[in-house]
Amino acid sequence: SYVVTQPPSVSVAPGKTARMTCGGDNIGSKTVHWYQQKPPQAPVLVISYDNDRPSTIPERFSGSSSGNMATLTIRRVEAGDEADYYCQVWDSSSDQLMFGGGTKLTVL
Amino acid sequence: QVRLQQSGPGLVKPSETLSLNCSVSGGSIGSYYWSWIRQSPGKGLEWIGYIYFGGRTNYNPSLKSRVAISVDPSKNRFSLTLHSVTAADTAVYYCVREPTSHDDAYWGQGTLVSVSS
């Protein structure tokens, strides 16, 4: 089955850029969504279809995907961005969805 | 505004069946992917399965033998059934309308289901 890998944690200082990765075999050819979760709340979609941003999400959030890696980038990080971030991959070969293990973003 | 409202018991006995409903308001249940996703305490998100307009389903292979997702278009509602539950099935269960190229994802409020005698 398809495996999706995320680093457990990323730390960044306020005002800097955070990059969180989502690895998988040829992930650049698959559909990737990114969710932000501040427990105990439900996840919130921050990036869909690799790099589309819902209208309610700040422009500081962006996504990219190529080869074996998808990346969520948050520019000018704020304290309120501290959360767990999950990538969700749609594997067209199996027509199934799967999540990475999640990355905890800590704002120093 | 699309809204998903979950209902169902918060406590299920081991070996019994977990059943949850998700009622959709503010939009039709047709032509979308409707998923169930769960999160065990302190753990990450796990996709359980989805149902698509017309009744096509697909399930997480790790749960496929025990799970069924169904839809009732007349009630604008879809449902999750998970058989033979164990303590490992204790989790917050979410119903979700998957995002489309022109619309957001929509999540239910979540239901904590505990499996215990």
Side-chain angles (χ1 to χ4, degrees):
Chain A
S1 63
Y2 193 79
V3 177
V4 181
T5 304
Q6 294 184 253
S9 63
V10 167
S11 298
V12 65
K16 300 299 186 182
T17 297
R19 292 181 179 86
M20 287 167 278
T21 59
C22 177
D25 184 41
N26 200 25
I27 199 171
S29 69
K30 304 182 188 302
T31 296
V32 178
H33 307 313
W34 289 92
Y35 285 93
Q36 176 194 70
Q37 187 182 31
K38 299 178 182 179
Q41 300 173 26
V44 172
L45 184 70
V46 294
I47 293 291
S48 64
Y49 293 90
D50 300 349
N51 57 15
D52 287 341
R53 186 173 37 79
S55 59
T56 55
I57 302 302
E59 292 183 8
R60 302 183 295 106
F61 288 76
S62 64
S64 62
S65 185
S66 177
N68 295 324
M69 196 71 72
T71 303
L72 172 68
T73 301
I74 309 175
R75 293 180 170 78
R76 301 184 301 281
V77 166
E78 303 173 356
D81 298 330
E82 189 163 281
D84 298 322
Y85 290 85
Y86 294 92
C87 62
Q88 182 192 44
V89 180
W90 193 298
D91 180 16
S92 56
S93 63
S94 64
D95 209 19
Q96 293 178 348
L97 303 171
M98 57 216 68
F99 287 96
T103 296
K104 181 175 181 59
L105 176 66
T106 299
V107 181
L108 301 171
Chain B
Q1 176 73 354
V2 175
R3 186 166 178 257
L4 278 62
Q5 181 67 39
Q6 299 178 215
S7 59
L11 181 64
V12 181
K13 290 183 168 58
S15 79
E16 295 191 346
T17 297
L18 179 161
S19 296
L20 295 173
N21 293 318
C22 184
S23 297
V24 180
S25 59
S28 170
I29 204 161
S31 301
Y32 295 100
Y33 286 88
W34 303 92
S35 285
W36 286 95
I37 289 166
R38 70 181 183 179
Q39 187 170 33
S40 301
K43 303 296 184 183
L45 301 171
E46 180 180 27
W47 174 72
I48 298 170
Y50 66 64
I51 190 163
Y52 183 64
F53 178 69
R56 180 168 68 89
T57 56
N58 206 331
Y59 302 120
N60 186 322
S62 68
L63 298 168
K64 187 175 182 178
S65 64
R66 300 193 291 130
V67 69
I69 297 174
S70 59
V71 64
D72 186 341
S74 67
K75 295 182 179 178
N76 232 36
R77 181 177 81 184
F78 67 109
S79 303
L80 170 70
T81 301
L82 182 64
H83 299 286
S84 304
V85 298
T86 70
D89 295 310
T90 293
V92 176
Y93 287 75
Y94 294 99
C95 61
V96 181
R97 197 188 90 176
E98 297 290 342
T100 69
S101 58
H102 57 273
D103 203 358
D104 206 340
Y106 296 93
W107 289 61
Q109 78 275 23
T111 301
L112 174 60
V113 179
S114 298
V115 178
S116 175
S117 55

